[in-house]
Amino acid sequence: MNITNQKIEISLAPDLKIGGENIILMLGPCSVESYAQTHAIARLIHQLGLRVIRGGAFKPRTSPDSFQGLGEEGLKILRKVADEFDLLVVSEALGVEQLPLVAEYVDIIQIGSRNMQHYPLLWAVGELDKPILLKRGFMSTVDEWLAAADHIASRGNQKIILCERGIRTFETSTRNTLDTNSIAHLKINSPFPVMGDPSHATGRTDLVIPAARAALAAGADGLLVEIHPKPEEALSDGVQSLNLEQAKDLVVQTTRLAEAMRRGIA
Ligand code: PEP
Ligand code: MN
C-alpha cells in the first residue's frame, strides 16, 4: 500500500482546493470542437464564478469512426481560453507517449474510464507533480479502482481525485448506473477527494441535474459535467450535454444544496 490513510486535500491553485469544504464544479464540452465553442463555454464558467474548464482533445471513442478529438490543436484552444478567463484546465491523456504534450497544456490530467487499468500510464502520471483525475473503469470494482490509485501513488504522486462516472449494470434505460454508494463509501474509507460525473453516468441530459444532486448528497467533493452551447450539434456526447441555460440552473441548484450541507461551490 502506497496510499496514506490521512485525508488528502489537493491544492488546484493557490486559492482553490478539492477535498475540503468547497465543492468544485468542472464544466465543459465532451470534446473541444472549435475556438468559438470553447470560448463561449469558458466565458459562462467565468461568469458563474467557477474556476475549472474540462474538455477532451484526445478522445477515447468506442468506435474508431467517431470523432477522435482535435489533438494538440484542442489543447491549445483550451489553454488560450482558460488563460483569458483565469481558469484551470482538465483534459485526458490517452497514452504514455502523449503525456508530455498534455502535461504542457493542462493543470489536471484525466485518466479515462477505459484506461483505469492502463498501468504504464498510471506509473507515468505517478511521476508527475500534477493532480490526476482518475475515472472509474465502467466494469471495475471499488477495490480495483483503489488499486489503480495505488499504482499512481507508488510512483510518488498522491494528488489523486477519484471520479465515479457510472458503471455497467443490467439496466438499459440509462447509459450507465451512477454508483452513489461508492461515493459515500470512498469518502469514508479512502483518503482521496471524490467526484461524480452525472453526464457519463446517465447518458441523458434530462437526468444530469438530478444525478448531480444525488452525487453531492452522497458526499462528492466535485462534479464533472458536460456542457455545450448547442448540444444538438455536438460532435460527441450531445445527448448528455447541458446547454448553457441548463448549466446555469445546475449551478443554482448545486449552490443551494451545498449550502444545506454547509459547503460552498467553486
Ligand atoms: C469524458 O470525460 O469525456 C470521457 C470520455 O469519460 P469516460 O472516460 O468516463 O468515458
Ligand atoms: Mn464525453
Side-chain angles (χ1 to χ4, degrees):
M1 258 307 243
N2 302 282
I3 301 176
T4 163
N5 45 28
Q6 269 161 24
K7 294 286 175 201
I8 300 172
E9 281 187 20
I10 300 172
S11 167
L12 302 175
D15 59 345
L16 190 69
K17 283 186 299 198
I18 186 162
E21 194 181 303
N22 275 343
I23 290 162
I24 311 300
L25 300 191
M26 304 186 184
L27 311 186
C30 177
S31 300
V32 174
E33 298 168 1
S34 69
Y35 177 80
Q37 170 233 24
T38 313
H39 190 269
I41 291 171
R43 191 176 48 208
L44 176 78
I45 292 171
H46 175 73
Q47 280 167 2
L48 293 171
L50 305 177
R51 304 287 305 281
V52 186
I53 183 167
R54 65 142 284 147
F58 293 98
K59 294 302 301 178
R61 304 307 304 284
T62 300
S63 164
D65 299 327
S66 303
F67 178 59
Q68 304 292 311
L70 294 182
E72 184 171 6
E73 180 57 25
L75 294 175
K76 285 189 173 146
I77 292 173
L78 273 172
R79 188 73 265 161
K80 192 163 190 290
V81 303
D83 287 346
E84 181 178 339
F85 294 105
D86 196 21
L87 304 176
L88 300 166
V89 171
V90 54
S91 194
E92 176 164 355
L94 282 184
V96 176
E97 64 293 346
Q98 59 185 217
L99 200 51
L101 182 72
V102 175
E104 194 184 315
Y105 290 98
V106 319
D107 304 291
I108 303 164
I109 296 179
Q110 178 170 323
I111 302 296
S113 184
R114 291 157 193 77
N115 267 329
M116 190 205 81
Q117 289 175 310
H118 182 161
Y119 298 113
L121 183 58
L122 302 179
W123 302 327
V125 296
E127 305 278 350
L128 300 178
D129 184 27
K130 277 190 192 276
I132 308 303
L133 195 155
L134 179 64
K135 297 192 95 176
R136 180 183 186 172
F138 57 87
M139 303 273 272
S140 299
T141 65
V142 163
D143 283 347
E144 288 162 344
W145 191 10
L146 285 173
D150 201 13
H151 272 277
I152 298 175
S154 73
R155 300 298 170 108
N157 188 356
Q158 302 231 25
K159 296 179 186 169
I160 301 164
I161 305 162
L162 301 173
C163 181
E164 158 58 35
R165 48 78 74 207
I167 51 175
R168 179 164 290 176
T169 67
F170 55 78
E171 183 53 59
T172 54
S173 60
T174 49
R175 181 175 178 184
N176 291 289
T177 297
L178 177 67
D179 184 7
T180 45
N181 286 359
S182 292
I183 295 175
H185 169 71
L186 287 165
K187 279 307 296 172
I188 296 166
N189 296 296
S190 95
F192 302 113
V194 184
M195 293 183 55
D197 170 351
S199 308
H200 294 88
T202 63
R204 289 174 40 183
T205 299
D206 61 340
L207 298 183
V208 168
I209 292 180
R213 292 194 305 250
L216 293 192
D221 297 300
L223 296 173
L224 189 71
V225 181
E226 291 184 339
I227 70 174
H228 195 288
K230 291 191 181 143
E232 60 289 353
E233 290 174 17
L235 297 180
S236 62
D237 285 349
V239 295
Q240 66 190 36
S241 296
L242 301 182
N243 65 30
L244 302 193
E245 281 308 310
Q246 292 165 327
K248 287 184 199 167
D249 190 30
L250 170 79
V251 175
V252 169
Q253 294 200 34
T254 51
T255 301
R256 285 196 197 138
L257 187 54
E259 277 164 11
M261 298 188 301
R262 296 190 195 83
R263 302 185 77 174
I265 293 279

